[in-house]
Amino acid sequence: MPDLFSDLANNRESLGPGTWLFRGYALDVGDQLLEAIGRIAEVSPFRRMKTPGGREMSAAMTGCGARSWVTDRRGYRYSELDPETGRHWPAMPALFSRLAADVADRAGYPGFGPDVCLVNRYQPGARMGLHQDRDEQDYRWPVVSVSLGLPATFLWGGLRRGGSPARLVLEHGDVLVWGGEDRLRYHGIAPVPDGRCKVTGHVRYNLTFRRAL
Ligand code: MD3
Ligand code: FE
């Protein structure tokens, strides 16, 4: 377990110099977030993308906002068009951008205006290997992550590959904000164990909000 320093007055726990965990922060809007994910997926369906190495990712993805993250044989990048539909990604719901900006502000990153919300869907057994988020232009902006549905073990490594990452269980409604010195930390998700969530069934969703440009 990483060292958790609790800032009780602000309902947040510190995971590192630039990282705050807000347990249950999105609980009261959980149903609204899930409904919005359903509407996004009607326009830009969930799909399992291929890495540049040709392997299918185990998490399915979609996105909303001015651009979203894609991967294929040509590499990783942000794209204004959904390659699956050839059309723009659905607009980012106001609830999403407000939530991301509010929580970033509470974590000490004022003025955060995300242009990307990547939506990851994990069915039991799906995982995300250790990686850095480094396809964005300006690492001064933080990344905001909202967990919904089944719990999953978050893997939190260092600034370089190697070593065994710290582990932390993320649950429905938990929100993480990381930036500053922690912005380029390696991180991932351990294979999601099966379970039943009252609201999502056998599924975990994660929203990640970023400023790509
Ligand atoms: C990095 N998603 O989409 S976000 C991704 O749950 C991605 O779907 C994962 O990594 C997911 O790129 C994890 C959570 C996260 C939280 C805290 C971090 C990533 C972090 C702290 C430092 C560095
Ligand atoms: Fe990531």
Side-chain angles (χ1 to χ4, degrees), residues 131 133 187 210:
H131 66 279
D133 289 13
H187 60 279
R210 309 183 186 148

PDB file of all heavy atoms in Angstrom, residues 131 133 187 210, ligand 2:
ATOM      1  N   HIS A 131       2.238   1.719 -17.766  1.00  0.00           N
ATOM      2  CA  HIS A 131       2.574   2.662 -18.829  1.00  0.00           C
ATOM      3  C   HIS A 131       2.604   4.067 -18.261  1.00  0.00           C
ATOM      4  O   HIS A 131       2.172   4.302 -17.135  1.00  0.00           O
ATOM      5  CB  HIS A 131       1.522   2.597 -19.951  1.00  0.00           C
ATOM      6  CG  HIS A 131       0.175   3.082 -19.492  1.00  0.00           C
ATOM      7  ND1 HIS A 131      -0.700   2.297 -18.772  1.00  0.00           N
ATOM      8  CD2 HIS A 131      -0.429   4.298 -19.619  1.00  0.00           C
ATOM      9  CE1 HIS A 131      -1.773   2.996 -18.482  1.00  0.00           C
ATOM     10  NE2 HIS A 131      -1.642   4.220 -18.972  1.00  0.00           N
ATOM     11  N   ASP A 133       1.364   8.134 -19.174  1.00  0.00           N
ATOM     12  CA  ASP A 133       0.510   8.940 -20.050  1.00  0.00           C
ATOM     13  C   ASP A 133       1.395  10.074 -20.566  1.00  0.00           C
ATOM     14  O   ASP A 133       1.654  11.034 -19.836  1.00  0.00           O
ATOM     15  CB  ASP A 133      -0.682   9.527 -19.280  1.00  0.00           C
ATOM     16  CG  ASP A 133      -1.713   8.475 -18.892  1.00  0.00           C
ATOM     17  OD1 ASP A 133      -1.422   7.266 -18.979  1.00  0.00           O
ATOM     18  OD2 ASP A 133      -2.816   8.877 -18.482  1.00  0.00           O
ATOM     19  N   HIS A 187       1.836   3.557 -14.321  1.00  0.00           N
ATOM     20  CA  HIS A 187       0.625   3.132 -13.620  1.00  0.00           C
ATOM     21  C   HIS A 187      -0.113   2.118 -14.485  1.00  0.00           C
ATOM     22  O   HIS A 187       0.147   2.018 -15.691  1.00  0.00           O
ATOM     23  CB  HIS A 187      -0.275   4.343 -13.318  1.00  0.00           C
ATOM     24  CG  HIS A 187      -0.692   5.062 -14.562  1.00  0.00           C
ATOM     25  ND1 HIS A 187       0.140   5.977 -15.200  1.00  0.00           N
ATOM     26  CD2 HIS A 187      -1.807   4.992 -15.321  1.00  0.00           C
ATOM     27  CE1 HIS A 187      -0.464   6.426 -16.279  1.00  0.00           C
ATOM     28  NE2 HIS A 187      -1.656   5.838 -16.393  1.00  0.00           N
ATOM     29  N   ARG A 210      -8.201  14.688 -19.641  1.00  0.00           N
ATOM     30  CA  ARG A 210      -6.879  15.226 -19.939  1.00  0.00           C
ATOM     31  C   ARG A 210      -6.995  16.476 -20.778  1.00  0.00           C
ATOM     32  O   ARG A 210      -8.004  16.699 -21.433  1.00  0.00           O
ATOM     33  CB  ARG A 210      -6.056  14.209 -20.740  1.00  0.00           C
ATOM     34  CG  ARG A 210      -6.037  12.864 -20.096  1.00  0.00           C
ATOM     35  CD  ARG A 210      -5.183  11.904 -20.843  1.00  0.00           C
ATOM     36  NE  ARG A 210      -5.363  10.609 -20.200  1.00  0.00           N
ATOM     37  CZ  ARG A 210      -5.314   9.456 -20.828  1.00  0.00           C
ATOM     38  NH1 ARG A 210      -5.051   9.424 -22.107  1.00  0.00           N
ATOM     39  NH2 ARG A 210      -5.508   8.351 -20.160  1.00  0.00           N
TER      40      ARG A 210
HETATM   41 FE    FE B   2      -2.753   5.877 -18.117  1.00  0.00          FE
END
